[in-house]
Amino acid sequence: MIQVLLPGVFFGNWQLGDWKLLLQIFHRPLWQKSLENSLLLGVGTTLLGTLLGAALAAIRSSWSFPTAKLLDASVWLLLITPSFILAQGWVLFASGGGIAVQLFGWDWVKNAIFTPAGLIFMMTLSKFPFAYLSVHAALEWKVDQLSQAARLCGASAWTTWRTIHAPLLLPALLAGAALVFMDTIGDFGMPASIAAVYRFPTLPYSIYSAIYTSPIRFDMAGVLSFYLVALIGLAMMLQFYALKRSRYDFLTARASRSVPQSAGRFTPLLTALNLLFLLLVIGVPVGSNIVSSLLKTQGGGVTTDNLTLEHYRSLFSSASNLLTGLWHSLAIAGAAAILGLLIGLGVAYVLTYSRFQFKRSIEVFSIITLAVPGVVLGIGYIFVWNQKWLEPLGLLLYGTPWILVLAAIAGAIPVITRLMTGAMAKVPGNLLSAAQLQGDSFLNRMRYILLPLIRGALLSAGLAAFGASIFDLAVSSILFPPKFVTLPVAINKAFEDLNFGYASAATVTSSLIVILIILAIELLLRRKEASS
């Protein structure tokens, strides 16, 4: 963004820029269309994604049914799978001559998917997990006397939910909506992948075009990045305004952990609907990649003569970079999750319980990386961490794996902070104040009071940050050091080389490994929690 005011400052040129350039977005057709498309995509996806995620979280927390665990697994799978892979799956499915036509003869799918409404539909199916995790974490604890009092006064179960439980979930709903909005308008992978068959420029895609076309337009990238940040700031202001109007700290000593109840006669219906939903959100994009990974040639059709396992065998050959890239990405994501969790937890605590006058500024800085596409973040890191004066200080990070860790932490903090803020909003500050008056230390208050009450959100935030960091293509493509390949770079390189079968096989295999790691960690910590 500094390029707007001081273009070329990082190259020693201190000539002032023209701030009137910011107004050019209303006069240049591509810039204006990019802004309009991003707003349309962001608002539409936020509304539908938040409603879908909240509804699924409420159902999952209230009732138990045989396929409930599959819903949880699908949420994590969608979180860790990069948007460009999901988009590629939809392209393979819905494009002319794609799987929808070859297997089912559905010629109408192309005209339905490759439209603005179709893009909102696809984006909703990939972004709703943010709202799901936020609301599901908020539903971890319940205070029965509130609903019991309403029922004793004659309120129905629906009225009790609508007038008591739903309003108390507002912080979690707003936190989930903010994450959906920020991740949608900052998403580069899906619009870029769809651009191969449908032109729909967005702010991130136009920024990428400004940087990777000749001549390089840093001024254009700075202007469009400014509007991305402005949109995020506006969304945060609306969230702050809503949260200031009421109190949401409803937990008391009578709170108990929510346990899903049997759905009774509705169990078959919930099971069937859940399977149909999973078939849509996972079966179409992931299934299309699986089918693609089994085809000898993409143009050969889905026939027995065109099926092969050669792409999977090649993943484990000596010439493959998959295992090396996977190990590097796991190490970076693990470091980012742990360090980001510590920082995000501290930020959320300050935002929720402190009276620090600049805490809103801290929140803006804590979420700003979600407002800026990874391509811009990566180039900004090159400018900042490639300065000669940093070398004597040992901080010349460009060209080292540490810059990838730093970028991953920056990407993890916003997600963790949003989820932690929503969870802490339901914990009264007087619980911590009472312990402080009794002489308890800050660490003990965190350990014995706050952390047990938000343990579910803490686990969700850490695992979400871990999964999201593994497949960060934009930042990895720009910042990865020589001879230090990462998983998304290896997969994208295969796509660029038109080796779709190998790339799809690498995507399927690595996603399965990562999701198993996440589920194993969650199961281990849940069992440890239950035993304690």
Side-chain angles (χ1 to χ4, degrees):
M1 291 174 60
I2 293 178
Q3 295 292 325
V4 178
L5 178 62
L6 297 170
V9 63
F10 294 104
F11 307 104
N13 183 6
W14 287 88
Q15 183 179 359
L16 288 176
D18 186 3
W19 276 98
K20 294 181 180 179
L21 189 63
L22 290 174
L23 301 178
Q24 290 298 310
I25 196 169
F26 302 107
H27 303 286
R28 302 193 182 190
L30 176 60
W31 297 16
Q32 183 176 358
K33 192 63 177 178
S34 300
L35 177 61
E36 293 174 354
N37 288 345
S38 290
L39 280 172
L40 176 64
L41 197 61
V43 173
T45 303
T46 300
L47 292 176
L48 296 180
T50 304
L51 289 175
L52 178 61
L56 291 175
I59 293 173
R60 179 67 180 90
S61 299
S62 301
W63 297 301
S64 61
F65 46 95
T67 59
K69 291 293 184 181
L70 293 178
L71 178 60
D72 296 335
S74 69
V75 167
W76 290 115
L77 181 61
L78 290 172
L79 278 176
I80 68 170
T81 305
S83 61
F84 77 93
I85 295 297
L86 295 175
Q88 185 67 29
W90 279 100
V91 170
L92 292 171
F93 178 80
S95 60
I99 295 175
V101 175
Q102 293 183 14
L103 290 182
F104 309 107
W106 294 347
D107 296 324
W108 56 268
V109 173
K110 178 179 179 180
N111 295 329
I113 292 297
F114 300 120
T115 63
L119 294 184
I120 292 175
F121 173 76
M122 285 193 302
M123 196 70 85
T124 297
L125 295 183
S126 66
K127 304 302 182 184
F128 81 89
F130 290 105
Y132 177 89
L133 289 177
S134 180
V135 175
H136 191 269
L139 292 171
E140 180 184 7
W141 295 90
K142 63 179 180 179
V143 182
D144 285 335
Q145 66 263 31
L146 298 177
S147 57
Q148 290 170 356
R151 296 303 297 271
L152 288 174
C153 292
S156 64
W158 165 246
T159 301
T160 301
W161 167 261
R162 179 176 55 84
T163 60
I164 296 178
H165 297 293
L168 291 176
L169 288 175
L170 186 59
L173 286 170
L174 292 177
L179 285 173
V180 172
F181 181 77
M182 288 185 291
D183 203 57
T184 299
I185 67 169
D187 189 285
F188 166 75
M190 184 169 287
S193 299
I194 296 298
V197 293
Y198 178 70
R199 181 170 175 78
F200 191 82
T202 60
L203 290 176
Y205 186 73
S206 296
I207 291 170
Y208 175 85
S209 300
I211 294 172
Y212 283 95
T213 55
S214 181
I216 298 177
R217 295 292 307 276
F218 285 118
D219 56 343
M220 174 180 171
V223 170
L224 299 186
S225 297
F226 171 82
Y227 282 96
L228 273 178
V229 176
L231 291 175
I232 293 297
L234 180 60
M236 290 298 99
M237 289 175 61
L238 294 175
Q239 182 186 16
F240 297 154
Y241 174 76
L243 292 179
K244 284 181 179 180
R245 295 171 59 89
S246 302
R247 289 181 57 192
Y248 304 93
D249 48 351
F250 62 91
L251 287 186
T252 66
R254 297 183 179 181
S256 60
R257 191 178 300 276
S258 299
V259 178
Q261 303 298 316
S262 174
R265 67 177 186 274
F266 294 106
T267 298
L269 177 61
L270 288 177
T271 301
L273 291 177
N274 187 46
L275 289 176
L276 289 175
F277 177 74
L278 296 181
L279 182 63
L280 178 64
V281 300
I282 301 296
V284 171
V286 177
S288 297
N289 277 288
I290 293 176
V291 171
S292 179
S293 69
L294 297 174
L295 299 180
K296 294 179 182 178
T297 61
Q298 301 303 307
V302 185
T303 61
T304 54
D305 295 337
N306 197 35
L307 298 180
T308 181
L309 292 176
E310 183 59 34
H311 300 307
Y312 285 94
R313 285 193 289 266
S314 64
L315 296 178
F316 302 97
S317 66
S318 58
S320 175
N321 292 323
L322 175 70
L323 296 181
T324 301
L326 177 61
W327 169 249
H328 288 163
S329 294
L330 288 174
I332 292 170
I338 294 174
L339 297 177
L341 200 58
L342 293 175
I343 298 173
L345 181 64
V347 171
Y349 183 90
V350 171
L351 297 178
T352 305
Y353 299 113
S354 78
R355 298 181 179 179
F356 184 49
Q357 60 179 336
F358 298 114
K359 66 180 184 180
R360 295 308 177 196
S361 299
I362 292 177
E363 181 159 20
V364 170
F365 281 108
S366 72
I367 63 174
I368 199 169
T369 52
L370 279 180
V372 180
V375 289
V376 178
L377 182 67
I379 291 177
Y381 270 39
I382 293 176
F383 286 147
V384 174
W385 297 105
N386 196 28
Q387 302 295 311
K388 292 183 178 179
W389 60 272
L390 292 174
E391 188 170 4
L393 303 176
L395 295 177
L396 190 62
L397 301 183
Y398 180 64
T400 69
W402 289 108
I403 196 170
L404 292 175
V405 176
L406 188 64
I409 293 173
I413 287 176
V415 177
I416 294 173
T417 301
R418 290 293 88 210
L419 292 176
M420 289 294 95
T421 302
M424 289 183 184
K426 65 181 182 180
V427 181
N430 55 20
L431 293 180
L432 303 176
S433 300
Q436 184 179 12
L437 290 175
Q438 298 298 321
D440 209 358
S441 66
F442 172 77
L443 292 179
N444 282 341
R445 297 197 301 273
M446 293 287 290
R447 180 181 178 184
Y448 295 110
I449 298 176
L450 184 60
L451 293 184
L453 292 175
I454 62 171
R455 187 176 299 170
L458 198 66
L459 177 60
S460 297
L463 292 179
F466 174 79
S469 300
I470 292 178
F471 289 103
D472 193 342
L473 171 64
V475 171
S476 296
S477 298
I478 296 174
L479 297 179
F480 78 98
K483 299 182 180 180
F484 189 87
V485 66
T486 61
L487 179 62
V489 171
I491 295 175
N492 188 61
K493 182 65 167 56
F495 273 115
E496 290 180 347
D497 294 340
L498 303 181
N499 194 354
F500 297 116
Y502 175 88
S504 298
T507 300
V508 172
T509 303
S510 58
S511 297
L512 181 60
I513 292 174
V514 173
I515 197 67
L516 289 176
I517 292 175
I518 290 177
L519 291 177
I521 294 174
E522 183 177 16
L523 180 62
L524 179 64
L525 293 179
R526 295 288 187 188
R527 285 186 175 180
K528 183 178 180 180
E529 176 185 351
S531 62
S532 60

